[in-house]
Each structure stands twice: as C-alpha cells, then as structure tokens.
C-alpha cells in the first residue's frame, strides 16, 4: 500500500513537472513569437539574408526629394562648411509642407536642368567671333578677351565640378563640364592668336585633362579614395594659390608685377592641408580646410567678370570683340540656377550664380550699352528680365515655405534656420 502511495505520488510529481515544463516552453515560444512580430523585418537575420541585394559596382544615391520624404528629422539648411553634402531644404517639418512647396521644388529642379541649354551655347558666339578674327588675321581683337579672366573661370569651373560631383547634383555637373570644355576652346583660340602665353596654355591643358578624368572617375565610383583625396588637396592648394595671384595680376600695369601673393598663399594652403591630413587641426578646423576648395572656386568664378570689366575699362576700343549674345546667355544660364540654390539653401551656389548673373552677364551688357555696342531696347529688356526673375524667385520661395517676407529666406540661406 505504501509502495503504491509512493508510486502514485511520484507519478503525480512527474506529471506536474512535465506540465510546468510544457507551460514554460509554451510561454517561451509565445514570447519568441511576439518578439518576431514586433521586430522589423530588416532586423531579422533570416529576412536580411534572403532579401538583401548584392552590392552594386555603381551605387545610386537617392535624389534630394527622396531624402526629404524619408528623413524623420527636422531638416536644416546647408552650412558653408558642410555644403558639399546634399541636405534637405528649409526648416519646417515635412507635415507642414504644402503642395506649393513640392511644386516649387519640381520647378526649381527643372530650371536648373534647363540652364544647360544657355550654357551649352554660352561660348559659341564668342568662339565663332574669335574664329572669324583668327581667319581674317585680326589677332588684336582677341585681346578684348582677357586670358587671365578666362583662365580664372576655367579653374573655377573645374573646382566647382568636383564640388557638385560630391553633391551628386547631375544638372550642375553637366553645367560645369560644359563650362570647362567651352572655356578651354576659347583659351585655345587665344593661345593660337598669341593672346595667351604658350607655356601657361600647355600647363592648363594638362590640368584640365587630368581634372576631367579624375572627376568623372569619381562620379562613376571608379576612383580610389586616396587618389580623390589627393586631387582635393591639389585643387585646394592650387585654387588658394591662384586666387590672390590672379587678383594681383589683373591690375599689373598700375601695380608692380610680383609672384609674392601667390607664393605666400601657396605656402599657407600647403601647411593647412598638411596639418589637416596629419590630424593636427581640430574637427572644425579640418572642416574649414575641406570647405576652402569650394569657396575658392566660387571666388575665382566671381573674379572672372571683374577681370573682364577691368579689361573693358583699360581698352574700350576692343570692347567690340565681346559678344552680346554670350553675355546674355551667361546671365540667363546663371539666373536659371538662382531659384534652385535658394530653395535648397546652398549659400555658396547662390552666391556664385547671383554674382555671375549680375556682374558677368548683366555687367558686361551694361558695358556694351555704355560704349554703344548694343541697342537701348536690348539693354532695357535684359534689365527688366533680370530684376523680374530675381523678384519671382524670392516671392515663390517665400510662398513655398509659407513665410511672410522674402527676407526670412535670405536669412536662412546665410545663417541657417
């Protein structure tokens, strides 16, 4: 009897133990199933393994408007130090953006893309005019086109090409490429007409060829990072060296010829780049050095109209060698990029485009009108068109962001939200 009680007790204990084990197993299984339901699919090792696509040799970066839709964070304006990275527009949360915002976003992108047309034709009238002067033996007319100003614009376009390739702005990449090629053709004509020193032309040709190869190798992800880093250092040192030297050389008849400005700037740029690469600078200092190349390119590009107008002032008789059509195309092409630069709050892009539209395009049109090379109707039409376009850009940007005054857009562009 006792043995049967012990056996019965033992069997009941075993049953209870098995029941507890089943209960724990069910609880564990239930909790795991809940965990799998809660965990996102991209975090699951199994799903990640089955659905992951093989890496592409040419990864495609998402366009800027997709970054706007997908980013949950509050967007900020691009700062000067980080302007080589695509950034969302404005300061308002995505939920507050109206259809007018996205409509203006689409239109500014189309304006930027359409600027390729005037830039494609920008130097064509000047190239044709130079060719006629060369064929007729009128080489002195080519002196109206300053080789120093063209060289400045060429270096600026080449540096800005690297800037926009890093930003993955396809339309701007095409624009800068067209600028490099077309200005190089003009520079070649100046060298043929002996309006530009041959050694400088040969060095320029070498730099342009290497620059185009490296930039497009970077765009198609075929360039090792170490080579691209070396190219960035080169354009930083080269741009910072050329800028003060070009500024000095523009006024050489009235000031003594000297290579001291370029030499001092080259030494400072080399030391700064070396310290940045060896980790001797703070994070902010390294970012500042990294932003020098973009701003130097913009300043070189901005100096181009200054050099041209100074040449017009020194040699007013040669102003007929300028093409009014080229100046008008320059004003239109740069003006078409102003709304996009303002909309995405790229201060560097906005500064360069606005300056070129006002001083290179419209400024030379004003010079042509001053010396009676164009009609009054042409000048007044260009004036009214430029003022109206800038006003429309500021007004539409204000409406798209829902602001009460255009000054807020300008303030965000310069200082951020």
């Amino acid at each position: 009897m006792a043995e049967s009680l012990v056996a019965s007790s033992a069997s009941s204990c075993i049953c209870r133990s098995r029941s507890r084990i089943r209960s724990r197993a069910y609880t564990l299984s239930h909790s795991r199933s809940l965990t799998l339901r809660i965990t996102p699919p991209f975090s699951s090792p199994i799903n990640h393994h089955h659905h992951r696509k093989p890496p592409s040799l040419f990864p495609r970066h998402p366009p800027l408007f997709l970054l706007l839709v997908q980013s949950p964070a509050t967007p900020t304006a691009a700062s000067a130090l980080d302007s080589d990275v695509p950034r969302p527009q404005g300061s308002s949360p995505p939920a507050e953006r109206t259809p007018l915002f996205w409509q203006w976003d689409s239109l500014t992108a189309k304006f930027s893309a359409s600027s390729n047309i005037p830039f494609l034709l920008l130097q064509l009238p000047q190239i044709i005019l130079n060719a006629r002067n060369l064929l007729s033996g009128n080489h002195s007319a080519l002196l109206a086109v300053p080789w120093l100003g063209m060289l400045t614009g060429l270096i600026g376009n080449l540096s800005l090409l690297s800037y926009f390739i890093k930003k993955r702005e396809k339309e701007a990449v095409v624009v800068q490429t067209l600028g490099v090629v077309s200005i190089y053709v003009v520079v070649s004509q100046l060298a043929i007409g002996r309006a530009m020193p041959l050694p400088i032309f040969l060095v320029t040709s070498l730099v342009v060829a290497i620059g185009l190869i490296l930039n497009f190798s970077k765009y198609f992800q075929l360039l090792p990072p170490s080579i691209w880093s070396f190219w960035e250092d080169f354009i930083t040192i080269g741009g910072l060296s050329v800028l003060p030297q070009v500024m000095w050389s523009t006024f050489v008849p009235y000031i003594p010829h000297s290579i001291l400005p370029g030499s001092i700037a080259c030494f400072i740029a080399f030391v700064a780049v070396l310290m940045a690469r060896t980790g001797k600078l703070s994070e902010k200092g390294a970012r500042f050095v990294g932003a020098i190349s973009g701003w130097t390119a913009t300043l070189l590009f901005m100096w181009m109209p200054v050099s041209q107008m100074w040449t017009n002032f020194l040699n007013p008789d040669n102003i007929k060698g300028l093409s009014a059509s080229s100046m008008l195309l320059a004003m239109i092409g740069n003006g078409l990029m102003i709304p996009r630069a303002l909309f995405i709050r790229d201060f560097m892009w906005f500064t360069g485009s606005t300056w070129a539209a006002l001083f290179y395009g419209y400024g030379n049109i004003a010079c042509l009108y001053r010396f009676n090379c164009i009609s009054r109707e042409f000048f007044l039409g260009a004036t009214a068109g430029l003022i109206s376009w800038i006003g429309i850009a500021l007004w539409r940007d204000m409406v798209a962001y829902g602001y009460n005054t255009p000054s807020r857009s300008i303030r965000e562009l310069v200082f951020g939200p």
Side-chain angles (χ1 to χ4, degrees):
M1 183 68 179
E3 292 177 358
S4 65
L5 289 175
V6 172
S8 175
S9 176
S11 64
S12 64
C13 289
I14 293 172
C15 290
R16 286 195 298 269
S17 299
R18 289 177 178 175
S19 177
R20 284 194 295 269
I21 292 172
R22 291 192 190 100
S23 177
R24 290 176 182 174
Y26 173 78
T27 303
L28 182 59
S29 174
H30 184 64
S31 64
R32 287 178 179 173
S33 66
L34 288 176
T35 303
L36 289 175
R37 290 191 188 100
I38 295 172
T39 305
F42 55 79
S43 296
S44 171
I46 298 177
N47 292 336
H48 183 68
H49 174 75
H50 285 293
H51 295 284
R52 182 174 55 186
K53 294 181 180 180
S56 172
L57 292 177
F58 308 102
R60 296 172 61 89
H61 292 267
L64 191 58
F65 70 91
L66 287 182
L67 293 175
L68 285 171
V69 174
Q70 294 173 354
S71 177
T74 302
T76 59
S79 67
L81 296 180
D82 297 326
S83 56
D84 59 344
V85 180
R87 287 184 180 265
Q89 302 99 324
S91 60
S92 57
E96 297 180 6
R97 289 172 179 164
T98 63
L100 290 175
F101 179 92
W102 302 112
Q103 182 184 18
W104 187 236
D105 180 18
S106 176
L107 284 175
T108 55
K110 292 177 181 177
F111 291 149
S112 180
S114 63
S115 66
N116 291 316
I117 298 175
F119 278 119
L120 179 62
L121 304 174
L122 173 61
Q123 296 294 342
L124 188 59
Q126 190 68 58
I127 291 172
I128 294 174
L129 184 61
N130 291 344
R132 289 176 179 174
N133 290 326
L134 286 173
L135 292 175
S136 63
N138 186 18
H139 292 184
S140 61
L142 273 69
L143 296 175
V145 184
W147 68 266
L148 194 59
M150 285 292 158
L151 180 62
T152 301
L154 181 61
I155 296 174
N157 280 124
L158 193 60
S159 299
L160 287 175
L161 176 61
S162 301
Y163 170 79
F164 286 114
I165 278 180
K166 288 178 66 177
K167 291 194 69 172
R168 311 297 294 184
E169 287 282 346
K170 297 180 182 179
E171 294 83 5
V173 167
V174 175
V175 168
Q176 299 304 323
T177 303
L178 291 174
V180 170
V181 174
S182 59
I183 294 179
Y184 179 75
V185 173
V186 175
V187 167
S188 301
Q189 292 176 323
L190 296 180
I192 294 173
R194 297 183 179 180
M196 177 181 182
L198 183 60
I200 297 179
F201 170 72
L202 295 177
V203 174
T204 301
S205 302
L206 180 62
V207 173
V208 168
I210 295 175
L212 289 176
I213 293 173
L214 293 180
N215 275 288
F216 283 97
S217 298
K218 169 67 174 177
Y219 184 82
F220 292 107
Q221 305 293 334
L222 298 175
L223 193 68
S226 58
I227 298 180
W228 179 254
S229 177
F230 176 80
W231 170 251
E232 285 188 312
D233 293 341
F234 174 78
I235 60 176
T236 298
I237 296 174
L240 200 58
S241 304
V242 170
L243 179 61
Q245 187 63 48
V246 166
M247 291 179 174
W248 182 275
S249 300
T250 301
F251 309 104
V252 154
Y254 297 92
I255 58 177
H257 177 75
S258 174
I259 61 171
L260 190 61
S263 301
I264 295 175
C266 181
F267 176 76
I268 295 174
F270 178 80
V271 172
V273 168
L274 183 63
M275 292 179 65
R277 291 301 179 189
T278 56
K280 299 295 180 61
L281 296 179
S282 63
E283 182 180 354
K284 187 176 181 180
R287 289 169 55 211
F288 176 78
V289 173
I292 288 177
S293 61
W295 276 105
T296 302
T298 302
L299 293 174
L300 283 169
F301 193 71
M302 291 168 63
W303 189 255
M304 185 177 176
V306 176
S307 177
Q308 179 66 68
M309 285 188 284
W310 178 251
T311 302
N312 297 342
F313 173 75
L314 293 178
N315 303 292
D317 294 336
N318 291 334
I319 198 164
K320 293 182 180 180
L322 284 179
S323 171
S325 300
S326 292
M327 299 302 103
L328 180 63
L329 288 170
M331 187 185 76
I332 294 174
N334 286 286
L336 285 172
M337 293 193 294
I338 291 175
R340 185 64 183 175
L342 175 63
F343 181 73
I344 68 173
R345 303 298 190 254
D346 191 323
F347 183 49
M348 195 187 78
W349 191 3
F350 179 85
T351 302
S353 299
T354 305
W355 181 276
L358 289 174
F359 292 95
Y360 183 63
Y362 181 75
N364 282 294
I365 289 175
C367 289
L368 289 170
Y369 176 69
R370 169 66 178 81
F371 293 102
N372 299 318
C373 296
I374 58 174
S375 65
R376 182 181 181 184
E377 291 76 14
F378 187 97
F379 173 70
L380 293 178
T383 304
L386 181 60
I387 294 175
S388 301
W389 180 251
I390 294 177
I392 290 172
L394 292 172
W395 172 68
R396 284 300 305 269
D397 189 86
M398 176 192 69
V399 172
Y401 281 99
Y403 298 155
N404 296 323
T405 172
S407 62
R408 183 171 176 182
S409 296
I410 299 297
R411 187 169 61 250
E412 284 187 357
L413 176 71
V414 179
F415 302 106

